[in-house]
Amino acid sequence: MNYLCQVWFDGAVLDAMTKEQKAELDANSLNYDKDLAESGHMIVAQALQPPTSAVTVRVRSGEISVTDGPFAETKEALGGFILIEAKDLNEAIRIAAGIPLAKLGAIEVRPIHSFGKEA
């Protein structure tokens, strides 16, 4: 089964890190991605630009509305994602716990819905 691991963290925590700490976090993250790929669990992983680079699109009554950024009332923002394959939720949780940013933020693990297929 496929699971989306959403990586949520407070950007201020990263901003407070030294250049060396950021480089270590990046290296640890890339190494973990490599380990997941080698184990067959990795489907895709991507880091996202900061929320200030985002736009939110809505369509109401056929009209398109675009606003700057997300407007969530939270310190944590979606910073990236890893789409994985795992045999069950317990294995997905174990994989998510190994994501280096889990130590600084939170990893939301959500099963992927398969349209027209038995779960």
Side-chain angles (χ1 to χ4, degrees), residues 54-97:
V55 297
T56 299
V57 177
R58 291 179 177 83
V59 178
R60 302 292 186 271
S61 301
E63 296 292 321
I64 298 171
S65 168
V66 180
T67 54
D68 290 339
F71 290 101
E73 294 295 325
T74 179
K75 289 183 181 182
E76 291 183 335
L78 182 62
F81 66 90
I82 302 174
L83 184 59
I84 62 169
E85 185 171 327
K87 66 181 177 187
D88 57 27
L89 181 58
N90 288 330
E91 184 176 46
I93 290 169
R94 182 190 58 76
I95 292 168

